[in-house]
Structure formats: structure tokens, C-alpha cells
Amino acid sequence: MVRIQQKSGTKQLRKAFGAFPSGVAALCARIDQVPVGMAASSFTSVSVDPPLVSVCIQKTSTTWPLLRGRHRLGLSILSQWHDVACRQLASKEGDRFAGVEWDASEHDSIFIRRSSAWMEVSLYDEVEAGDHTIALLEVHGIDTAPDTPPLIFHASKFRQIALTRDEELRLHAHQW
């Protein structure tokens, strides 16, 4: 039997939110020749026409104010091999790009290599939502690596999806 309890605090709410697995995206750009980026586990598709996606960003973020005014941003759907890179991109200290392989577009969008998908986006709109801002991003270009498994965030841990044997063999063949 389900026993609904009154919400008693943020810890209980975070635990409930963590029951829903999500992918993780990196939102990055090169600013004054320096890579700047952040991780977001709240990425979701929004619309096909116009092509929109969204990420939720804490209002206390010091990175979003740097990125939000850029003409274009790189959005990378991180793969199961990016757990360390994800922690770095989410960190408040240190070099977020140390050891992270990336490429930049002519618009200074940064894309993390070995991701599951990449999108070049621009800010379409922002919606205030509690302690977060929902950034609606218009998609201008895409590329995908459909055989690359995504990084999954669930119950405050990084997880991997199970691949079939054929998928594992195909994936290994693409890596080498």
C-alpha cells in the first residue's frame, strides 16, 4: 500500500526526485578562448516545431550568467564514460575541462567528445521556476552517436543502461 506523507523537507523531496532517472547534458561555450561549461541533469526535449529543448539551472549558478548571453552554445548529451567529466563540469572549483576532450564550432560552441548526441543551441526564452530558471534553448544543428550509451543519473549515482551483446560488439567496433 502506498502511504503518502506530508513533505517534511528538502532531503525527502530530493530523494523522491532522485527516483526518476535522467540523462546528463553539458552546456558549454568558449569565452575569450577559454572553455566554460556546466552539467545539467534536467535536460529534456520540448518541441519539434520550433525545435526546442530545456535545462533547469539553479539561480545561484555563477556559470549560467556567463553562458546565457552567447550567440551559440554547445549541448552534449554525456555518455556512460563521462561520469568524471560530469563531476568536473558540476564542480564549483578547479579546472572543469582538465582531461576532458572537446571540440569547438566556428560559433565557439563547445562539444564534449564521445557523447551520445550534440546540439548547437541558442537561448530562446527563460522561465523563472522557484529556485531554478528553466532555459528554453532553440536547436540550430545536431549530430548523434546512436550506439553510444548515455550517462544516467539516478538516486544520486551515475548508472549505465544494460546493452545487448550485439550492441556491445558494435560499440566496441566503433571505438577502435
Side-chain angles (χ1 to χ4, degrees):
M1 175 176 197
V2 176
R3 295 174 192 227
I4 300 296
Q5 302 169 20
Q6 292 290 43
K7 185 190 81 63
S8 63
T10 58
K11 185 176 180 181
Q12 179 190 23
L13 195 56
R14 286 180 189 271
K15 186 175 180 181
F17 287 170
F20 184 75
S22 64
V24 185
L27 197 55
C28 308
R30 191 165 47 191
I31 301 173
D32 297 328
Q33 301 303 312
V34 177
V36 176
M38 60 190 292
S41 62
S42 58
F43 168 82
T44 191
S45 59
V46 175
S47 171
V48 173
D49 187 20
L52 300 173
V53 297
S54 71
V55 293
C56 296
I57 301 161
Q58 286 184 336
K59 288 184 179 177
T60 58
S61 171
T62 56
T63 306
W64 180 240
L66 300 173
L67 294 173
R68 70 183 300 274
R70 305 304 301 168
H71 175 66
R72 290 288 190 334
L73 300 168
L75 190 144
S76 303
I77 307 299
L78 300 179
S79 72
Q80 70 180 19
W81 303 286
H82 287 128
D83 55 331
V84 172
C86 183
R87 288 190 196 287
Q88 283 177 216
L89 287 166
S91 176
K92 304 242 186 265
E93 298 176 4
D95 180 357
R96 291 183 179 180
F97 287 85
V100 176
E101 296 178 357
W102 54 272
D103 293 304
S105 76
E106 68 267 14
H107 302 291
D108 283 330
S109 303
I110 289 182
F111 303 99
I112 308 299
R113 291 183 188 167
R114 298 179 69 205
S115 291
S116 296
W118 304 267
M119 299 177 194
E120 191 162 49
V121 301
S122 64
L123 182 61
Y124 182 83
D125 200 1
E126 290 178 302
V127 178
E128 299 299 314
D131 58 1
H132 280 66
T133 298
I134 302 169
L136 294 170
L137 306 168
E138 184 172 3
V139 179
H140 300 283
I142 59 173
D143 193 8
T144 63
D147 291 331
T148 302
L151 182 63
I152 304 295
F153 192 67
H154 175 254
S156 298
K157 296 177 185 171
F158 292 118
R159 305 199 187 254
Q160 299 176 359
I161 59 173
L163 302 177
T164 67
R165 181 70 179 139
D166 286 345
E167 288 172 325
E168 285 182 14
L169 291 172
R170 203 168 45 247
L171 183 61
H172 242 39
H174 287 294
Q175 287 181 332
W176 307 108

